[in-house]
Amino acid sequence: MILAAGVPRNIAIVIAVVVTVGWLLYIVANLRRARPEIGSEIELAPNRKPYYSDEELEGKRLERTQLAGVAMLVVLGVGLPLYWVHEPSRQDGAIEEFDKQFVGWGARDFAATADGGFNCAGCHGGMKGVGGVAAYTITDQRTGEVRPVAWKAPAINTVVYRFSDSEIKFILVYGRPFSPMSPWGVEGGGPMNDQQINDLISYLHSIAIPRGKDQVAGEIPKTINDNVAKALADAMASGKYKSEGEALFNLEVGSGGYSCARCHTKGWSYSDPQQAGGGALGPNLTGGSTVRQFPAKSDQIDFITKGSELGKRYGQQGQGSGRMPGFGQLLTPEQINAIVDYERGL
């Protein structure tokens, strides 16, 4: 349990007071007892008294001393190994307790404004982060008019499968330009300090869709895989899309998917999509630009699987900003291949 900041100080003050009072009582008691002894120091001085004889020192007194030494040796010999055996679990327990504390703090900051939080839940679909709607205002480039829109905020119960923690932190601190996602970190001009940002990341891990108990790290969580497969089957049955790649590019799958069109098709986020792949938060993918950027199809597949790394070059001209998510833990290799085929044909 983590104590409040003032509790250790109060305990220390109480201990100091008790020790001080104890010393004062000890001094007073000794002063009172010493008064009748004035004038008899030579008789009472310890260094003038006869000490124990050799027979006494080498008898039971020595045996008691040796027994005490053996007892202390047993305490050290047994106690230290027991402490060593228990130490790893104690450290793990301390880490787990701190992690729970950070998750709790992150949940508090994630909550709605009415509950004392920063209202992340207000846009991202409540405390589970399943996706929601954010009020936003845009300037319509076709008419020049300023108008309000309902911006589809993404599900973030899969964000830890799309980005590394450092990339999540980058987005939280600096926001997403030209979207309702404003900067939240102090460095980006927001209200949250570094500890609060880290607490939010801990909370995002806690609400992530879990992998199945038999699944290992890196595998697509079964729930996500099932949701994507069902949404894809429904989309193809509707006849709206010509290929699975086109459907996967445009679909946003509840609790598990993340649409490519959100970043690469202007207006998609507020239900007014313009040219597919024409560019918005992400670059324009039309006119063969993806083929020029990735002459080898395998390089594009690798990029979409892993995402971009901050400052790392990719393709022919790319420079990673850390904002392109990786889809390798959300989509199967076959699904990513279908998306790449669609993008290379735009």
Side-chain angles (χ1 to χ4, degrees):
M1 182 178 68
I2 300 173
L3 297 175
V7 173
R9 182 185 63 184
N10 294 337
I11 293 175
I13 292 173
V14 171
I15 293 174
V17 170
V18 171
V19 170
T20 302
V21 171
W23 272 107
L24 289 174
L25 293 175
Y26 176 78
I27 292 171
V28 170
N30 277 272
L31 287 175
R32 290 175 62 85
R33 189 173 63 181
R35 286 173 184 171
E37 301 171 359
I38 296 175
S40 61
E41 293 85 352
I42 294 177
E43 179 184 346
L44 298 175
N47 62 328
R48 299 296 299 270
K49 292 180 180 180
Y51 199 58
Y52 298 107
S53 66
D54 288 346
E55 289 76 11
E56 290 176 297
L57 287 175
E58 295 177 3
K60 292 185 178 181
R61 187 176 183 84
L62 179 59
E63 292 175 359
R64 289 197 300 268
T65 302
Q66 290 173 332
L67 183 60
V70 171
M72 294 297 294
L73 185 61
V74 170
V75 170
L76 290 174
V78 175
L80 285 178
L82 287 177
Y83 180 86
W84 177 80
V85 169
H86 176 68
E87 182 63 10
S89 61
R90 186 197 67 79
Q91 292 181 0
D92 291 341
I95 293 172
E96 182 179 353
E97 188 63 33
F98 273 112
D99 288 342
K100 289 180 180 178
Q101 189 82 45
F102 296 148
V103 169
W105 290 343
R108 178 191 61 194
D109 293 337
F110 188 90
T113 306
D115 297 325
F118 289 94
N119 202 36
C120 308
C123 292
H124 290 288
M127 296 300 289
K128 296 298 184 181
V130 295
V133 177
Y136 193 56
T137 302
I138 64 166
T139 300
D140 194 319
Q141 294 183 347
R142 292 167 295 188
T143 63
E145 295 180 352
V146 176
R147 63 186 178 95
V149 296
W151 192 286
K152 292 183 283 187
I156 52 175
N157 56 358
T158 59
V159 69
V160 297
Y161 298 128
R162 302 196 301 266
F163 295 104
S164 67
D165 283 359
S166 61
E167 291 164 343
I168 295 173
K169 186 171 185 177
F170 184 90
I171 295 171
L172 287 172
V173 171
Y174 296 103
R176 286 278 201 176
F178 310 109
S179 82
M181 180 62 183
S182 58
W184 288 100
V186 171
E187 293 180 359
M192 291 189 184
N193 59 35
D194 195 61
Q195 180 64 62
Q196 290 171 312
I197 294 293
N198 289 333
D199 293 341
L200 274 180
I201 294 173
S202 295
Y203 179 69
L204 292 177
H205 277 277
S206 75
I207 65 173
I209 293 176
R211 292 187 174 91
K213 63 180 181 179
D214 297 328
Q215 290 186 290
V216 298
E219 289 185 348
I220 303 170
K222 186 176 184 304
T223 303
I224 295 176
N225 195 32
D226 291 345
N227 286 341
V228 173
K230 182 179 185 305
L232 178 60
D234 292 344
M236 295 307 297
S238 71
K240 183 178 180 180
Y241 301 105
K242 297 178 181 179
S243 67
E244 289 191 357
E246 182 183 8
L248 289 165
F249 183 91
N250 288 282
L251 282 178
E252 178 157 39
V253 183
S255 295
Y258 193 83
S259 173
C260 309
R262 171 181 293 281
C263 289
H264 292 287
T265 299
K266 187 174 181 61
W268 183 95
S269 292
Y270 45 90
S271 302
D272 185 18
Q274 299 175 29
Q275 183 182 12
L281 299 178
N284 186 346
L285 304 179
T286 64
S289 59
T290 54
V291 177
R292 290 191 296 272
Q293 180 67 20
F294 298 101
K297 178 183 174 181
S298 59
D299 290 339
Q300 186 177 354
I301 291 175
D302 185 67
F303 177 69
I304 293 177
T305 300
K306 298 178 180 177
S308 67
E309 296 181 34
L310 186 62
K312 186 175 179 180
R313 294 187 63 82
Y314 63 88
Q316 294 295 310
Q317 303 292 333
Q319 186 76 21
S321 67
R323 300 178 186 179
M324 167 67 184
F327 292 91
Q329 297 188 70
L330 296 178
L331 301 173
T332 65
E334 294 76 17
Q335 291 166 341
I336 292 177
N337 184 73
I339 290 173
V340 168
D341 285 339
Y342 173 71
E343 290 180 348
R344 294 175 79 83
L346 286 174

